[in-house]
């Protein structure tokens, strides 16, 4: 098995090292990761400045690794288009420190790294740990290996990927694996407005989880139960429900007589 590992916490993140150490005994591992943290950069790619990749090392490991000035999506593209000599069997993005559930998916660089893998038609997994402090990576890393091996056996349909969130608990306290759907957990954005030493206003965007009930069967619900959440994600963002509704609206070309073709 050949795996391409990326993340959005940066190449020095202990979550990335944990993945590398878990995969190294069973796979050929190549790392292409941002040189510093690029969390919440979503699926941004770099089109207006040069991309650079420098050879790097992962502590305690002999794998080939590159640190880039790009986003997670850039890293996957750099790996696929030049740095890797052969196509990987799986792209793995993580292990992110902090969950990527519900509305997080839109902002997540971790998930976007895996989405970019899926766009390159490589089966891809995003892995995140459900806490921002004192992360325990062992279970998440071991589960990622197991999932990659299952994907090698079973394959994944085109335009899909897996989003994994692991409770930040010791192995003995984790209560199984749940196949979930994307929930609606979101953050309430807040703006800190301050003055810099020169008296000019600056803003700092922040937020906290919105108080809400986790609906059964969702990613955040599973995590709250102490279960590993595996959410199948599709690249197709069409809302079928809204497509039906929209088809009943009367929309015309301005100045013309043509309605919507059903
Ligand atoms: Mn991150």
């Amino acid at each position: 098995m050949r795996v391409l590992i990326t993340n959005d916490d940066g190449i020095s993140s202990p979550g990335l090292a944990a993945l590398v150490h878990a995969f190294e005994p069973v796979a050929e591992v190549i790392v292409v990761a941002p040189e510093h943290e690029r969390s919440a950069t979503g699926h941004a790619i770099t089109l207006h400045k040069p991309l650079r990749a420098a050879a790097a090392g992962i502590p305690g490991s002999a794998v080939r690794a590159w640190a880039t000035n790009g986003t997670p999506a850039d890293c996957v593209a750099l790996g696929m288009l030049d740095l890797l000599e052969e196509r990987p069997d799986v792209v793995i993005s993580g292990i992110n420190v902090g969950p990527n559930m519900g509305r997080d998916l839109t902002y997540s660089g971790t998930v976007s790294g895996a989405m970019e893998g899926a766009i390159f038609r490589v089966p891809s997994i995003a892995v995140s740990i459900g806490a921002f402090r004192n992360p325990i990576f062992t279970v998440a890393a071991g589960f990622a290996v197991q999932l990659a091996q299952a994907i090698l056996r079973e394959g994944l349909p085109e335009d899909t990927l897996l989003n994994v969130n692991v409770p930040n608990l010791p192995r003995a306290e984790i209560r199984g694996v749940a196949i979930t759907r994307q929930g609606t957990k979101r953050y309430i954005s807040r703006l800190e407005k301050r003055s810099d030493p020169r008296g000019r206003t600056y803003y700092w965007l922040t937020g906290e989880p919105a108080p809400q009930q986790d609906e059964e069967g969702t990613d955040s619900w599973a995590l709250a139960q102490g279960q590993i959440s595996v959410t199948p994600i599709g690249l197709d963002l069409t809302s079928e429900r809204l497509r039906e509704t929209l088809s009943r609206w009367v929309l015309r070309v301005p100045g013309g007589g043509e309605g919507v073709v059903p």
Side-chain angles (χ1 to χ4, degrees):
M1 166 162 62
R2 185 179 307 111
V3 298
L4 167 58
I5 294 179
T6 191
N7 75 349
D8 78 356
D9 289 343
I11 195 152
S12 314
S13 167
L16 183 128
L19 264 190
V20 168
H21 292 141
F23 274 94
E24 214 173 357
V26 296
E28 183 193 337
V29 178
I30 304 102
V31 175
V32 185
E35 62 197 357
H36 58 79
E37 184 174 352
R38 302 301 296 266
S39 289
T41 50
H43 208 131
I45 53 171
T46 302
L47 298 179
H48 302 289
K49 64 174 189 181
L51 281 170
R52 313 265 182 198
I58 305 297
S61 155
V63 301
R64 281 179 297 151
W66 283 270
T68 87
N69 62 339
T71 62
D74 287 328
C75 289
V76 172
L78 285 169
M80 295 301 297
L81 298 174
D82 189 66
L83 300 173
L84 271 66
E85 276 139 39
E86 287 170 276
R87 236 178 123 73
D89 298 303
V90 186
V91 170
I92 303 174
S93 184
I95 300 168
N96 189 64
V97 178
N100 277 307
M101 307 185 295
R103 302 288 177 248
D104 300 339
L105 268 65
T106 307
Y107 300 97
S108 170
T110 306
V111 173
S112 294
M115 280 185 172
E116 189 65 10
I119 289 171
F120 274 96
R121 304 244 153 109
V122 179
S124 299
I125 313 171
V127 187
S128 306
I129 204 98
F132 292 97
R133 281 165 207 274
N134 306 316
I136 306 168
F137 294 118
T138 41
V139 177
F143 187 73
V145 172
Q146 189 196 129
L147 202 52
Q149 286 167 335
I151 284 174
L152 233 61
R153 271 196 320 271
E154 309 283 341
L156 275 185
E158 264 180 22
D159 298 337
T160 65
L161 56 138
L162 299 179
N163 182 38
V164 177
N165 284 278
V166 179
N168 195 40
L169 296 170
R171 189 180 305 267
E173 289 171 38
I174 293 189
R175 295 166 55 197
V177 178
I179 308 304
T180 57
R181 65 180 190 278
Q182 183 183 358
T184 55
K185 187 186 78 70
R186 64 187 182 94
Y187 288 81
I188 297 172
S189 294
R190 204 158 42 83
L191 203 55
E192 300 262 344
K193 189 176 178 181
R194 301 179 189 165
S195 278
D196 73 13
R198 293 182 179 172
R200 290 175 308 195
T201 299
Y202 70 95
Y203 300 94
W204 204 293
L205 202 52
T206 172
E208 54 222 35
Q212 69 184 88
Q213 207 76 42
D214 294 315
E215 213 182 305
E216 190 170 334
T218 59
D219 43 17
S220 49
W221 174 84
L223 234 71
Q225 311 294 309
Q227 295 180 307
I228 298 175
S229 163
V230 182
T231 314
I233 301 288
L235 293 181
D236 182 354
L237 298 178
T238 311
S239 164
E240 286 300 329
R241 211 170 31 158
L242 183 54
R243 204 161 71 98
E244 251 178 63
T245 309
L246 276 185
S247 66
R248 290 194 293 272
W249 293 14
V250 178
L251 298 171
R252 296 183 192 288
V253 179
E258 298 294 313
V260 168
V261 180

